[in-house]
Amino acid sequence: AQRVTQPEKLLSVFKGAPVELKCNYSYSGSPELFWYVQYSRQRLQLLLRHISRESIKGFTADLNKGETSFHLKKPFAQEEDSAMYYCALRTPGGSYIPTFGRGTSLIVHP
Amino acid sequence: DADVTQTPRNRITKTGKRIMLECSQTKGHDRMYWYRQDPGLGLRLIYYSFDVKDINKGEISDGYSVSRQAQAKFSLSLESAIPNQTALYFCATSARTAYNEQFFGPGTRLTVL
């Protein structure tokens, strides 16, 4: 069965510091991977998906099939990046039901 | 604006009571989901529905039931609420095609005393 692991429950950095939220998955095929973000008192929303290869709000994520990882990175963290971040995996050919990691809470200090 | 809405937004109830949480969407999506969110446990899938006649259990369906009244409506019921069902509940929708994201409702905070 597929699994998503976000090893850090909490990541605390200062404004301007680089940030990397880790996501590792277990799946032998070609997965669909997503990052969702939940700001305080707001609903979850898509941040980015691996197929788009885009940068959203300065965040990027690269799919590394060799290491089965999809880490989220930003070179200079901002206070408004403080939120809960979830990595999600979907497997093509199945029912497209996503599996979510347990989430990482990012706190960016001024 | 096409959206996903949930009612109620907050609910406090007592052990043993029956509770229904409702979800409506105007996105025209076939697929709807119910999740619960607990600190440290992330999002866990309770039930999902691919269309009105297709309802499936998720990883934590015990103690819950659902009803898909229409394409746009998906309700979650707790037949006899218990304190460990205290959580934040999210409804979500998605289109059926690959790489499509899920759209989440604002959540219902349920407290069972």
Side-chain angles (χ1 to χ4, degrees), chain B residues 32-49:
Chain B
M32 297 186 75
Y33 312 79
W34 275 105
Y35 292 92
R36 64 176 281 175
Q37 184 184 45
D38 299 275
L41 296 179
L43 285 170
R44 293 183 291 167
L45 183 64
I46 306 172
Y47 270 95
Y48 61 99
S49 171

Side-chain angles (χ1 to χ4, degrees), chain A residues 9 31-32 34 36 38 42-46 49-51 84 86 90 92 95-98 100-103, chain B residues 3-4 31 33 35 37 40-43 45 48 50 88 90 94 96-102 104-106:
Chain A
K9 282 188 178 181
E32 300 175 14
F34 305 80
Y36 285 83
Q38 184 181 24
Q42 294 187 27
R43 65 185 74 191
L44 278 92
Q45 59 187 284
L46 179 71
R49 69 196 92 191
H50 89 272
I51 195 68
M84 193 75 179
Y86 289 97
R90 282 200 318 209
S95 25
Y96 290 105
I97 302 297
F100 284 84
R102 294 190 172 193
Chain B
D3 205 355
V4 183
R31 299 185 167 199
Y33 312 79
Y35 292 92
Q37 184 184 45
L41 296 179
L43 285 170
L45 183 64
Y48 61 99
F50 286 172
L88 188 55
F90 286 102
S94 70
R96 68 177 67 186
T97 52
Y99 298 110
N100 272 300
E101 68 191 269
Q102 286 187 308
F104 286 83

Side-chain angles (χ1 to χ4, degrees), chain B:
Chain B
D1 238 1
D3 205 355
V4 183
T5 57
Q6 292 182 234
T7 56
R9 295 293 310 277
N10 288 283
R11 182 72 184 267
I12 300 173
T13 190
K14 294 182 179 180
T15 298
K17 294 291 188 182
R18 183 177 188 276
I19 296 295
M20 179 180 284
L21 310 183
E22 298 186 338
C23 176
S24 295
Q25 53 112 347
T26 57
K27 290 193 169 292
H29 289 161
D30 290 326
R31 299 185 167 199
M32 297 186 75
Y33 312 79
W34 275 105
Y35 292 92
R36 64 176 281 175
Q37 184 184 45
D38 299 275
L41 296 179
L43 285 170
R44 293 183 291 167
L45 183 64
I46 306 172
Y47 270 95
Y48 61 99
S49 171
F50 286 172
D51 64 39
V52 175
K53 296 182 181 180
D54 185 0
I55 293 176
N56 305 276
K57 293 181 178 181
E59 62 178 298
I60 54 163
S61 58
D62 287 349
Y64 302 95
S65 62
V66 291
S67 173
R68 184 84 183 263
Q69 301 93 327
Q71 188 207 33
K73 295 185 183 296
F74 192 37
S75 299
L76 176 73
S77 293
L78 288 67
E79 297 300 325
S80 180
I82 56 177
N84 78 356
Q85 291 178 313
T86 293
L88 188 55
Y89 289 85
F90 286 102
C91 174
T93 74
S94 70
R96 68 177 67 186
T97 52
Y99 298 110
N100 272 300
E101 68 191 269
Q102 286 187 308
F103 292 87
F104 286 83
T108 295
R109 185 166 297 281
L110 177 66
T111 302
V112 184
L113 302 175

